[in-house]
Amino acid sequence: MVGSGGREHALCWAIAASPLCDKLYCAPGNPGIAEEAELVAIAAMELDRIVDFAREKSIDLVVVGPEPPLVAGLVDKLDAAGIKAFGPRAAAAALEGSKGFTKDFCARHKIPTAAYQRFTDAGKASAYVRQKGAPIVVKADGLAAGKGVTVARTVDEALAAVADALVGGRFGSAGASVVVEEFLEGEIASFFALIDGVDVLPLQSVQDHKAVGDGETGPNTGGMGAYAPVAAMTPAMEQQVMDRIVRPTVRAMAAEGAPYKGVLFTELMICRDGPKLIEFNVRFGDPECQVLMMRLKSDLVPALVAACDGELKSFDLRWHADAVLTVVLAAKGYPDTPKPGGAIGGLDRASALPGVKIFQAGTKLDAAGRLVAAGGRVLNVTARAPDVAEAQALAYRAVDLVDFPDGFCRRDIGWRAVPSRAR
Ligand code: AMP
C-alpha cells in the first residue's frame, strides 16, 4: 500500500483481513496502519524507491492510495518493472490531474457537466466572469489538495480567485490555467466503480461533507465526514450515472488510447435534469473509502486483482445492508493552519463500542511514544448500524469517548439523512 491517510488505513484494514494476504507493507503509513501492515519509510512520491522496494520484496500487488503518485506515473513505472499495480497510469490519471483535460473530454464525448471555459489569461477570464455573473465557480487546473476550487457567490469573489491563480500564482503551476464554470444547483454525491480498462463493476454511492463547519458553512476541506447509503442515489439514479457518465468515460478513454484501470470516483451534482459530473478522481475518496470498506462484506483483494487483470466482467461483491457513517476529527485550525502535536487518547474505549472502528489519518508517535496529531484530518471515527440515524448516534457516542482537546469535528454529519437529529 502506498499512502498514509485514513483512506489507506481503511484499505490496509480490508486487505489485511483477506486470506490471500500473507504480508502487507505500507509506505509510509501511520501508527494506525502499523497495526495492519509493516511500515516502510518511503514517501508516496518517491516513485523509484517504491519500485525498487517492490522488486526487492517480490511484491504481488501494489495498491496506490493517493492521486499525486498516480498522476506522476507510479503505475507506469510498476508496469514497466512487471509489478502488478492497482490504479490508473498517468495518461488515464489526467482525469483528475487536469480539470481542463476532463472538461474538454466531457465536451468531446457529450458527458453531462457544468458549462465552462478554460483560461490562462487573467484579463480574458475576468471578462468571462463579468459576462456570466455570479454565482460562478473558478477552479485551478491541476492538483491543489482540494483547495483549488472557489464557489463564488459574487463576481468580486470570482475575480479574486482568478487573480489569485493566474496573477498571484497561489497554486503554482497547478493554477497557471483555470476552468471557469457554471454553478450547479443540487445535491452532491460520490459514486465509486472499479474499472479494468473495459468493464465496470459499480461499487456504492457515498455522501461527503466538504465544508468545515456545521450547516455547510466555512471553507471547503478534503471532507469532514461521510455516510452511506445515500437516499438520492436510487438504483435508477445510479443507472443513469453508469449509462451517461461512467460507461461512456471508460469507452472513450480506451478509444483515445488511455484505458482506465483502478477505481473511478465520480463526484456528482444531482440536478433537476439529472446527474452532472462535478469532477473525476482517480482513487478512492477520503473519507468515503472508510465508509465503503466498513460496508464491504466480500474480500477486497480479488476485486483489486480482477481490476488489474481485466477480469471484472462477471465479478460480484457483497455489501452489508447496514448504514455506515464516519466523522472526521480534525486538528483545530484546519483547513488553513491545523495545530500540530495535540495529544490523542481514549481510542481503545471508543473502539470498544460494538460496530465502531477508528481509522487514523494525520497521526504520529511523539518522542515519548505517545499518539499525537500530525496533520489536518487526524481520526475517522466510523460506525456501522442498521440505519443512518443509528450509525450517526453510534459514531458520535464514540467521538465523545475520544480525548483530543486540540481537535474538533462537525456535529451534523449525515444531516440530509437525519435532519431532525443534528447533533
Ligand atoms: P471539487 O474540488 O471539484 O470537488 O469541488 C469542491 C466542491 O465545490 C464540490 O464538492 C462542490 O461542493 C463544489 N463545486 C464544484 N464545482 C461546482 C459547480 N460547478 N457548481 C456548484 N458547486 C460546485
Side-chain angles (χ1 to χ4, degrees):
M1 170 68 53
V2 175
S4 61
R7 165 183 51 210
E8 288 75 22
H9 189 181
L11 289 168
C12 282
W13 175 71
I15 291 168
S18 169
L20 294 173
C21 177
D22 39 45
K23 178 75 188 172
L24 179 61
Y25 296 94
C26 184
N30 68 36
I33 293 173
E35 289 165 20
E36 312 291 350
E38 181 176 333
L39 303 190
V40 183
I42 302 177
M45 281 301 274
E46 292 183 290
L47 309 190
D48 292 325
R49 290 190 64 202
I50 292 169
V51 176
D52 289 345
F53 179 85
R55 212 189 264 123
E56 191 185 301
K57 298 286 185 189
S58 304
I59 298 293
D60 294 315
L61 174 66
V62 177
V63 180
V64 185
E67 66 280 12
L70 292 168
V71 172
L74 177 55
V75 171
D76 307 59
K77 284 178 183 265
L78 289 163
D79 279 353
I83 297 158
K84 199 188 294 287
F86 177 81
R89 291 185 180 205
L95 283 177
E96 176 164 4
S98 167
K99 293 188 194 284
F101 167 85
T102 300
K103 297 299 288 191
D104 291 351
F105 176 88
C106 288
R108 275 200 302 286
H109 300 288
K110 301 197 169 45
I111 291 166
T113 184
Y116 75 106
Q117 294 259 342
R118 300 175 70 175
F119 298 97
T120 52
D121 180 87
K124 287 183 183 151
S126 302
Y128 182 74
V129 165
R130 286 200 185 85
Q131 180 207 330
K132 291 287 173 186
I136 193 162
V137 182
V138 180
K139 301 185 172 185
D141 183 80
L143 296 184
K147 294 186 177 144
V149 174
T150 302
V151 179
R153 298 282 155 186
T154 63
V155 167
D156 283 347
E157 212 183 314
L159 294 176
V162 165
D164 263 2
L166 295 182
V167 183
R170 174 156 173 227
F171 306 107
S173 60
S177 164
V178 298
V179 168
V180 181
E181 72 178 25
E182 169 198 10
F183 174 81
L184 297 175
E185 194 91 58
E187 180 170 341
I188 279 279
S190 305
F191 179 74
F192 294 85
L194 294 183
I195 294 161
D196 66 4
V198 176
D199 286 303
V200 182
L201 175 66
L203 299 178
Q204 302 251 304
S205 301
V206 183
Q207 194 162 63
D208 191 11
H209 300 61
K210 293 258 186 187
V212 74
D214 284 9
E216 307 306 329
T217 53
N220 267 347
T221 68
M224 293 299 292
Y227 73 95
V230 183
M233 291 298 284
T234 58
M237 181 60 68
E238 290 192 347
Q239 195 58 49
Q240 280 189 40
V241 172
M242 285 287 286
D243 293 346
R244 295 187 195 176
I245 300 178
V246 179
R247 286 193 202 282
T249 296
V250 172
R251 270 197 303 273
M253 289 299 283
E256 292 192 358
Y260 192 92
K261 283 190 178 194
V263 59
L264 186 67
F265 165 0
T266 304
E267 193 181 332
L268 300 158
M269 191 72 86
I270 304 166
C271 304
R272 266 204 212 139
D273 53 342
K276 290 194 180 156
L277 179 71
I278 292 273
E279 66 171 18
F280 283 126
N281 297 299
V282 298
R283 44 156 179 99
F284 282 105
D286 189 347
E288 290 94 327
C289 184
Q290 291 80 315
V291 171
L292 288 173
M293 292 305 114
M294 282 274 281
R295 286 195 93 200
L296 182 64
K297 221 175 190 174
S298 303
D299 185 350
L300 175 67
V301 174
L304 300 178
V305 172
C308 296
D309 290 349
E311 292 176 352
L312 280 180
K313 192 168 188 135
S314 50
F315 211 88
D316 212 5
L317 286 171
R318 287 177 311 126
W319 301 87
H320 289 283
D322 288 352
V324 173
L325 185 141
T326 188
V327 177
V328 172
L329 288 181
K332 281 183 184 161
Y334 178 72
D336 295 327
T337 47
K339 182 179 175 192
I344 298 163
L347 296 193
D348 287 344
R349 73 181 168 222
S351 308
L353 293 176
V356 170
K357 173 77 192 164
I358 299 181
F359 298 109
Q360 296 189 25
T363 60
K364 68 169 191 183
L365 299 177
D366 70 6
R370 287 170 306 212
L371 190 68
V372 298
R377 295 184 294 170
V378 178
L379 301 170
N380 312 131
V381 180
T382 312
R384 187 169 66 217
D387 62 29
V388 180
E390 286 180 54
Q392 185 195 56
L394 179 58
Y396 281 108
R397 206 163 351 118
V399 163
D400 291 337
L401 291 173
V402 173
D403 191 19
F404 179 28
D406 288 329
F408 73 99
C409 66
R410 278 181 60 163
R411 301 298 302 190
D412 64 347
I413 300 304
W415 63 269
R416 281 183 198 269
V418 200
S420 58
R421 277 225 246 153
R423 306 174 65 88

